[in-house]
Amino acid sequence: MRTKKPEIHLGLEGIYMAETSICSVNGIEGKLYYRGYSIEELAKHSDFEEVCFLLLNGYLPKEKEFLSFKDALVKERDLDPEVLQVITDTAGKGLPMDVLRTAVSLSAIYDPDVKDNSKEANMRKSIRLISKISSIVAAIGRVRDGEEYVRPEKKLGHVENFLYMLNGEKPSESERRMLDIMFVLHAEHSSNASTFSTIVTGATLSDIYSAITSGIGTLKGPLHGGADEAALRMMRAIGKPENTVKYINDALAGKQRIMGFGHRVYKAYDPRARIIRGYLEELREHASPEVENLTAIALEAEKLMIKKLGKAKGIWPNVDFFSGPVYTHIGIPSSLFTPLFAASRVPGWCAHMLEYWENNRLIRPLEYYTGKTNVKYISMTKR
Ligand code: CMC
């Protein structure tokens, strides 16, 4: 018997699944807050480690607490030899997000707290995940470049150490600061697709490694974290600023989506994109011809998209649109953009998991069945 058709929320659009005090997104006004602090304030004054503390604990740390938090992160940086071996064996041929997902899943086996699902153990595991995932991404980048793994350097901050492990040399202060801001901007974004799948997995009372592994698999898709690489690919395909208008018009006429535009929640300019755009304009003076060209294309595309779809359809640049030229300026290859998004989103995923477990409920939505019923089974030879 078929029940009356319920209201179906495709993509769970507009559905509230929990209360949270971690992050708020105002999609109409284009505002974003982590624990009540605006993203603009945090990008200006804070750094990734402090934002991790804020997301996980709910408040900004005092100096002593911050030092001990940073120390805990530093102690977890190095990779287990078995995890490193798998990265060494696979990163040259596998997709970086597949290698990352596998390495994170494998890391659970070497975690001393793997069987302990207490709050304290999950906080320790969160710190371990935040620390190690950046090292995994750096190791993937090294192997893909045919280079040896660079061991972490204790004296460096999180982002500086990441760039050191990736390039084998310390970054300049401006590169460090720029990437630190990118990490801050990507650290959290409420119940986005990857955070949701993290929570779905954790809500079965599975463990935090399984949950984060789910999140990484979800982030990989081009409608989510994979959009930054796709946006850069498009800018490269456009080639020259003067080709932009025709390229975008043709793509839209062919019903293609322009990656790095549009958002399920923001129907205004994504505040993260606005901040990244600001940095991009600042760095233009010192940019290489390649980055200058990408920037000119990006700004041309932005102008046209806003004119065509901004006010009319609420489609504005999102966090992924201007990221590519910024990462290129810092020297990060496009194959690492989405893994880097994952490395910076770990604190958000972990904070949500810890919060959700405080009031856990299995997530199990319904589907309205539209198929046949009571179909008679016919044996294979008579079909
Ligand atoms: N380019 C062109 N048209 C678009 C785009 C776009 N990027 N995004 C949405 N539209 C159109 C879409 O075709 C539809 O038009 P119509 O009403 O005529 O059929 C309308 O806008 C509404 O689209 P929707 O698919 O119902 O919107 P959604 O809320 O499901 O989409 C989205 C959200 C992010 C999947 C979508 O905007 C998109 O595909 N963007 C490109 C991928 C992208 O940049 N993703 C990164 C999102 S931000 C980072 C993150 O959180 O991961």
Side-chain angles (χ1 to χ4, degrees):
M1 201 187 74
R2 204 159 272 163
T3 52
K4 185 170 168 277
K5 185 170 180 181
E7 193 182 343
I8 292 175
H9 299 267
L10 267 186
L12 298 183
E13 190 165 350
I15 302 289
Y16 286 86
M17 58 170 275
E19 291 185 14
T20 184
S21 63
I22 298 171
C23 175
S24 97
V25 181
N26 180 333
I28 303 302
E29 291 175 20
K31 304 262 189 228
L32 169 63
Y33 301 89
Y34 298 169
R35 300 283 190 186
Y37 295 92
S38 80
I39 195 64
E40 290 80 8
E41 284 267 297
L42 291 171
K44 196 164 172 192
H45 302 295
S46 190
D47 62 22
F48 182 63
E49 286 110 313
E50 192 181 47
V51 163
C52 289
F53 186 100
L54 174 68
L55 291 170
L56 291 174
N57 296 288
Y59 62 94
L60 286 175
K62 293 217 163 87
E63 196 177 0
K64 215 170 145 198
E65 283 173 304
F66 191 39
L67 290 176
S68 96
F69 182 74
K70 285 209 286 195
D71 197 39
L73 281 169
V74 167
K75 287 198 176 107
E76 300 294 350
R77 273 181 191 163
D78 212 355
L79 298 178
D80 297 285
E82 293 83 353
V83 174
L84 188 55
Q85 189 59 53
V86 167
I87 297 170
T88 308
D89 292 345
T90 59
K93 46 192 173 239
L95 293 174
M97 281 301 277
D98 293 349
V99 179
L100 173 64
R101 194 189 56 230
T102 305
V104 171
S105 179
L106 181 66
S107 301
I109 292 165
Y110 306 102
D111 191 303
D113 287 312
V114 70
K115 290 186 184 145
D116 187 348
N117 257 352
S118 65
K119 198 170 159 184
E120 297 70 29
N122 279 323
M123 184 59 96
R124 288 195 294 276
K125 285 189 263 188
S126 298
I127 290 172
R128 224 164 265 145
L129 279 156
I130 293 168
S131 199
K132 288 199 193 302
I133 290 182
S134 283
S135 302
I136 292 173
V137 175
I140 293 172
R142 294 295 288 177
V143 175
R144 287 176 68 83
D145 278 353
E147 303 279 1
E148 292 282 306
Y149 175 63
V150 174
R151 307 212 50 172
E153 170 57 62
K154 286 195 183 87
K155 291 197 186 100
L156 305 180
H158 184 91
V159 169
E160 194 174 16
N161 176 65
F162 165 76
L163 284 169
Y164 170 72
M165 288 179 74
L166 179 67
N167 298 323
E169 57 188 45
K170 282 200 227 165
S172 68
E173 176 49 23
S174 77
E175 288 166 340
R176 182 209 63 77
R177 182 65 190 143
M178 211 168 284
L179 191 61
D180 210 318
I181 291 165
M182 296 301 276
F183 267 63
V184 167
L185 298 178
H186 287 83
E188 160 59 10
H189 209 239
S190 74
S191 53
N192 59 88
S194 57
T195 303
F196 179 63
S197 68
T198 297
I199 296 174
V200 170
T201 300
T204 67
L205 299 186
S206 176
D207 70 296
I208 200 158
Y209 278 89
S210 304
I212 301 301
T213 304
S214 295
I216 293 171
T218 307
L219 189 76
K220 181 183 170 190
L223 294 189
H224 190 11
D228 49 7
E229 191 182 349
L232 188 75
R233 209 177 304 123
M234 178 190 80
M235 290 169 202
R236 288 201 167 125
I238 291 174
K240 291 192 262 181
E242 53 270 34
N243 298 343
T244 312
V245 171
K246 180 172 175 359
Y247 185 101
I248 301 265
N249 279 333
D250 287 354
L252 291 176
K255 299 268 172 234
Q256 282 176 42
R257 285 185 181 220
I258 308 301
M259 295 293 142
F261 283 88
H263 200 276
R264 177 60 63 78
V265 181
Y266 291 120
K267 299 303 165 200
Y269 210 113
D270 180 336
R272 302 165 299 174
R274 200 184 284 288
I275 294 170
I276 300 171
R277 185 191 193 281
Y279 280 102
L280 198 54
E281 286 210 311
E282 266 179 38
L283 68 79
R284 272 184 99 167
E285 257 182 67
H286 323 281
S288 65
E290 185 200 5
V291 173
E292 166 53 27
N293 189 50
L294 290 170
T295 306
I297 293 170
L299 293 174
E300 198 65 33
E302 179 213 29
K303 198 162 64 182
L304 180 66
M305 283 294 283
I306 292 180
K307 196 166 139 207
K308 291 192 89 136
L309 299 177
K311 288 207 179 95
K313 278 198 178 178
I315 293 170
W316 298 84
N318 63 47
V319 68
D320 288 322
F321 190 62
F322 296 110
S323 301
V326 171
Y327 288 142
T328 306
H329 178 74
I330 303 171
I332 293 169
S334 60
S335 57
L336 291 188
F337 290 0
T338 315
L340 209 54
F341 191 157
S344 30
R345 182 55 59 85
V346 194
W349 289 332
C350 291
H352 277 280
M353 208 53 267
L354 298 177
E355 181 186 63
Y356 194 83
W357 273 329
E358 291 288 318
N359 193 18
N360 192 68
R361 188 159 168 84
L362 178 78
I363 297 171
R364 205 311 187 180
L366 297 170
E367 286 176 299
Y368 182 68
Y369 181 69
T370 58
K372 297 173 181 173
T373 48
N374 289 326
V375 182
K376 198 169 171 347
Y377 184 85
I378 302 168
S379 64
M380 203 174 279
T381 51
K382 292 191 181 148
R383 280 173 214 167

